[in-house]
Amino acid sequence: MSRSRSSTTTQSRSLKVTGEEIWKNKTEKINTELFALTYGALVAQLFEDYDNDYSLINERLFSMGYNIGVRLIEDFLARTALPRCEDMVRTSEVISKCAFKIFLNITPHVTNWSNNKDSFSLIIEDNPLSEFVELPMNAKKQIWYSNVLCGVLKGALEMVQLDCDVWFVADILKGDPQTELKIKLNKILKDEIPIGDD
Amino acid sequence: MDPGRNYQANHPLTEQEKKQQQFRLFQESLPKVSQLAFQMLLNEIVPQAMAVENELNDLNSLEQTGDRTSAVEGERKGEGEAENIPINDLSLQEKEVSSYNTNLKIQPSHKLIMELAELEDEEKYNNILKRLRNIGFEMGKKMCEMLVFSNNPNLHFKEMDLLLIMKFICRDVWKQLYEKPIDNLKTNHRGTFYLIDYNYKPIQAFSLSEEAPAKELKMVEPFLEIPLGLIKGVLASLGYSPEEVICISSFVDKPADDRPKYGFPKGVSFHVQVNMKPK
């Protein structure tokens, strides 16, 4: 028991080291402000296009993220060379310590595990997307400004056979005390075997 | 060890060099994210502009036939049926919570790009390009502010003529976005400029078949709209109103020298025409 626990802690520490090492030495970097303002310009255009129909904007951001996620995962796997995760606990650590670190240089905090360990929350501090952002009063209630992140996670997880629901439960931009993103596992997709090949 | 420091010890820096160095250090000290994440976001804007156009068209045609919200509901039910899910069995509340994102019909971006290239309706095509240019324009305006307030030594407001502004775009703006300055700037000194980039970064990962048929170049074309808007945006925030500036893009062949040839087989030329004196 104690041995298994210590092995998990070394594992998670090494994930942290891997993430930091890749961020430091193997990642081309770009100014966060530039990233934030690009995203801002994009969302502003959506506000205009959809005439402030917030649910459509949320969906559009989500599907945009999904399309990014399905391609981003390739780069992530190539960069980290991580094997498949055996459970959601491990998955959560890879997401927070490696994925977020490598792409956005933040390490969200994992919390709020459900009893059967199939859903958890990521607490995102210093969200680079929503830097310098203030939402207009009428948009505040309905818009999930950083919804693109949910899409990215959904798309990327689907590519590693994890069918998940990903959504925001709270956002600082809405006046919540913290930005919280929920990931819930629906099912593990089966590996397809070619017909007649068993 | 550090060549920069060595140099500094032997030759005192000029005022300009000091400013350059300070600017570089300042830029390096700013918080950073991955270049790849930015690049993917930037490129994903193009297929999404197509998706927006599709969706707006659907909404419009629904609006004509009846009440919009109920029509959207109906559309969703239709999708549900296609997946053989008995809609009535799901209570509304449950649906809201658990399948917050599964109602979506997500189109893959490569299909959207294909659709965009094959679009025959000129009005729609122009709408999409306009949408992309708008995004670029906003980016350009804000980027300019960002670079002005970072004590950029390449930006003087005294006697800043059009040529200096274009140089600023080629060097600083391009470098921020694409990590390299533009390769070539040509001008006739009467308001016409050609900004030529032989390795325009966002399209370097795209590949064309050997002969680069016109259709494939057409697919890449929309990716040049964001920088077009961007150039206009920078000019606008420095006093050249967008009505007076014409920006178009074209593909150019790479020069026949011994530079390594990799990535996208064509270079890009941005043609900027300014018809006014600054206010």
Side-chain angles (χ1 to χ4, degrees):
Chain A
M1 183 66 199
S2 73
R3 187 184 296 161
S4 85
R5 190 181 300 151
S6 81
S7 90
T8 359
T9 46
T10 47
Q11 249 183 8
S12 70
R13 189 176 304 136
S14 84
L15 274 181
K16 192 168 179 236
V17 172
T18 318
E20 268 163 16
E21 207 261 338
I22 293 172
W23 166 253
K24 220 171 157 192
N25 303 323
K26 295 189 196 154
T27 311
E28 286 181 71
K29 301 173 186 69
I30 198 161
N31 192 345
T32 302
E33 273 180 52
L34 185 62
F35 187 65
L37 75 83
T38 303
Y39 189 67
L42 156 77
V43 179
Q45 180 64 33
L46 288 179
F47 267 66
E48 198 176 301
D49 285 333
Y50 286 121
D51 198 15
N52 299 342
D53 186 331
Y54 304 114
S55 68
L56 287 177
I57 297 171
N58 285 339
E59 288 188 8
R60 176 58 46 221
L61 289 172
F62 185 88
S63 74
M64 182 168 188
Y66 181 89
N67 275 320
I68 295 174
V70 296
R71 280 174 288 129
L72 200 67
I73 185 76
E74 302 236 352
D75 180 85
F76 177 74
L77 294 177
R79 239 174 250 251
T80 57
L82 284 169
R84 191 173 281 208
C85 298
E86 64 271 19
D87 54 23
M88 282 309 273
V89 177
R90 175 84 173 159
T91 309
S92 73
E93 279 175 354
V94 170
I95 291 173
S96 75
K97 296 200 173 88
C98 290
F100 270 94
K101 180 73 193 172
I102 293 170
F103 292 117
L104 298 178
N105 192 22
I106 50 173
T107 314
H109 177 59
V110 182
T111 183
N112 287 352
W113 280 98
S114 64
N115 287 334
N116 53 355
K117 297 265 177 205
D118 70 348
S119 81
F120 59 91
S121 288
L122 291 170
I123 309 294
I124 303 174
E125 283 165 36
D126 304 322
N127 179 359
L129 288 175
S130 58
E131 223 182 336
F132 319 115
V133 176
E134 204 177 317
L135 293 173
M137 272 322 269
N138 52 347
K140 240 180 191 172
K141 273 191 192 141
Q142 297 163 62
I143 196 91
W144 292 110
Y145 184 81
S146 311
N147 213 20
V148 71
L149 289 180
C150 297
V152 171
L153 284 165
K154 164 100 182 160
L157 288 168
E158 206 164 290
M159 290 296 117
V160 290
Q161 264 81 39
L162 297 171
D163 176 15
C164 295
D165 276 345
V166 188
W167 70 99
F168 273 108
V169 283
D171 190 342
I172 289 181
L173 292 182
K174 295 186 155 199
D176 298 320
Q178 58 191 10
T179 301
E180 182 179 353
L181 191 152
K182 195 104 188 151
I183 298 182
K184 179 177 170 293
L185 179 69
N186 287 335
K187 61 168 185 264
I188 297 173
L189 300 168
K190 272 191 220 123
D191 280 335
E192 299 276 349
I193 300 163
I195 297 161
D197 195 44
D198 38 32
Chain B
M1 275 258 296
D2 183 355
R5 196 166 299 164
N6 231 340
Y7 177 81
Q8 200 174 0
N10 297 334
H11 317 263
L13 294 173
T14 65
E15 199 59 26
Q16 182 67 11
E17 279 170 327
K18 256 187 212 159
K19 276 187 187 164
Q20 290 280 4
Q21 200 181 30
Q22 265 173 2
F23 178 61
R24 195 174 49 82
L25 287 175
F26 171 73
Q27 288 292 325
E28 278 167 21
S29 75
L30 291 173
K32 297 279 192 291
V33 294
S34 153
Q35 152 80 22
L36 185 87
F38 174 71
Q39 199 67 69
M40 287 192 134
L41 183 73
L42 201 60
N43 276 353
E44 192 58 33
I45 291 175
V46 177
Q48 291 308 312
M50 177 75 212
V52 169
E53 184 68 25
N54 281 344
E55 205 165 287
L56 289 180
N57 268 313
D58 289 351
L59 286 177
N60 269 341
S61 57
L62 288 172
E63 223 161 49
Q64 277 162 13
T65 51
D67 179 48
R68 173 168 140 174
T69 39
S70 76
V72 172
E73 283 296 293
E75 197 187 40
R76 282 206 182 129
K77 274 187 191 169
E79 276 165 38
E81 270 158 19
E83 292 163 56
N84 280 327
I85 298 168
I87 289 291
N88 298 337
D89 291 357
L90 293 167
S91 79
L92 198 72
Q93 223 173 8
E94 198 180 303
K95 212 177 154 191
E96 286 279 288
V97 180
S98 75
S99 51
Y100 162 70
N101 21 26
T102 47
N103 285 330
L104 269 173
K105 193 165 68 183
I106 297 175
Q107 276 184 293
S109 18
H110 58 275
K111 283 222 175 103
L112 288 164
I113 303 258
M114 192 84 95
E115 203 181 321
L116 176 55
E118 285 166 359
L119 202 64
E120 275 167 12
D121 187 333
E122 207 161 303
E123 196 193 324
K124 275 193 208 165
Y125 191 73
N126 288 336
N127 278 346
I128 294 164
L129 297 194
K130 194 168 153 244
R131 189 162 294 137
L132 294 171
R133 273 197 295 265
N134 265 347
I135 294 175
F137 187 79
E138 286 303 313
M139 280 170 69
K141 265 191 356 196
K142 288 180 194 139
M143 259 189 88
C144 193
E145 283 168 30
M146 186 177 107
L147 284 166
V148 167
F149 285 103
S150 59
N151 281 329
N152 190 327
N154 299 326
L155 199 62
H156 316 271
F157 291 98
K158 259 186 217 161
E159 291 159 28
M160 180 119 184
D161 63 358
L162 199 52
L163 183 63
L164 278 176
I165 295 177
M166 292 317 265
K167 279 189 181 166
F168 165 73
I169 293 175
C170 293
R171 197 169 33 196
D172 298 280
V173 175
W174 229 253
K175 215 155 175 219
Q176 283 277 326
L177 278 162
Y178 310 120
E179 296 187 309
K180 69 184 266 302
I182 257 195
D183 294 309
N184 206 337
L185 172 66
K186 291 181 185 164
T187 175
N188 68 353
H189 296 286
R190 283 194 213 98
T192 306
F193 296 85
Y194 287 94
L195 290 74
I196 301 169
D197 192 341
Y198 294 117
N199 298 300
Y200 174 54
K201 184 132 184 189
I203 60 172
Q204 288 312 306
F206 299 174
S207 88
L208 298 180
S209 58
E210 289 283 302
E211 320 84 71
K215 190 187 160 199
E216 284 173 318
L217 283 179
K218 176 100 175 145
M219 286 170 75
V220 179
E221 243 168 43
F223 288 87
L224 312 180
E225 293 300 319
I226 292 175
L228 287 180
L230 198 109
I231 295 171
K232 274 193 164 194
V234 174
L235 285 172
S237 65
L238 293 173
Y240 294 85
S241 89
E243 290 82 36
E244 304 291 340
V245 181
I246 300 163
C247 267
I248 48 173
S249 67
S250 57
F251 291 107
V252 290
D253 287 322
K254 292 195 179 188
D257 56 15
D258 45 2
R259 262 184 281 190
K261 304 269 187 298
Y262 54 86
F264 195 77
K266 291 271 187 188
V268 182
S269 165
F270 300 102
H271 174 184
V272 183
Q273 170 86 46
V274 181
N275 301 325
M276 68 171 276
K277 298 256 169 251
K279 273 176 244 165

